[in-house]
């Protein structure tokens, strides 16, 4: 396994194809999509701290983060309903990397679902600040041809 931290917006665009492939393999929200994170980082002039984990050439985990006031946070977390990592891995390589590099205490995570992938990986870290974690409910809507009431549930 190999970890790479991306700090430049120009380098981020080179991940698009692999990011989209990893995203499509899971059940994620729009706030983990490449386009949302890339455009948010570009518009906000973010100081990126995007952590990627590779197994050989395969991208297997993305922590779409930025640095704000010295803290590592999810990109545009203020405007995201739910924040999470994108991951095919159950291991804690990225958490171990953050711990070994004295970065884990800089994590400030908010809008985290209790069943999220990131919460599963970090919930046992004592010094971590999770600003908001939440239970949530979903409603399944099915589109119809009856506008304006074009969704049934």
């Amino acid at each position: 396994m190999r970890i790479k931290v991306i700090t430049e917006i120009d380098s981020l665009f080179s991940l698009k194809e692999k990011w989209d492939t990893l995203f499509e393999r899971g059940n994620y929200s729009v706030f983990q999509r490449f386009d949302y994170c890339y455009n948010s980082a570009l518009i906000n002039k973010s100081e990126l701290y995007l952590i990627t984990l590779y197994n050989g050439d395969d991208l297997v985990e993305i922590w779409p983060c930025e640095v704000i006031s010295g803290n590592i946070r999810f990109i545009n977390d203020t405007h995201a309903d739910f924040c999470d990592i994108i991951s095919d891995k159950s291991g804690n390589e990225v958490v171990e990397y953050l711990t070994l590099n004295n970065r884990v205490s800089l994590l400030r995570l908010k809008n985290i679902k209790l069943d999220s992938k990131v919460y599963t990986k970090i919930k046992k870290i004592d010094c971590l600040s999770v600003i908001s974690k939440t239970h949530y409910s979903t409603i399944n809507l099915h589109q119809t041809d009856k506008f304006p009431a074009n969704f049934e549930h």
Side-chain angles (χ1 to χ4, degrees), residues 81 108-114 129-134:
D81 290 341
R108 297 295 182 271
L109 305 178
K110 60 196 237 181
N111 304 332
I112 305 295
K113 295 189 285 186
L114 291 174
S129 173
V130 177
I131 296 169
S132 68
K133 55 188 180 220
T134 186

Side-chain angles (χ1 to χ4, degrees), residues 53-113:
L53 178 65
Y54 289 87
N55 184 6
D57 289 334
D58 295 329
L59 181 61
V60 295
E61 191 162 295
I62 303 168
W63 290 55
C65 296
E66 62 186 339
V67 176
I68 298 175
S69 300
N71 296 313
I72 300 170
R73 296 171 37 174
F74 282 114
I75 292 173
N76 208 11
D77 61 2
T78 301
H79 298 104
D81 290 341
F82 300 121
C83 298
D84 202 358
I85 61 173
I86 306 163
S87 182
D88 272 353
K89 293 281 299 157
S90 60
N92 278 339
E93 291 89 348
V94 173
V95 173
E96 291 168 8
Y97 167 84
L98 290 167
T99 303
L100 288 171
N101 289 282
N102 297 319
R103 297 277 189 252
V104 76
S105 64
L106 300 177
L107 287 174
R108 297 295 182 271
L109 305 178
K110 60 196 237 181
N111 304 332
I112 305 295
K113 295 189 285 186

Side-chain angles (χ1 to χ4, degrees), residues 12-27:
L12 183 58
F13 198 76
S14 67
L15 284 179
K16 182 178 180 4
E17 186 176 328
K18 289 183 178 189
W19 184 315
D20 289 344
T21 299
L22 184 59
F23 179 89
E24 293 302 322
R25 289 197 299 250
N27 184 23

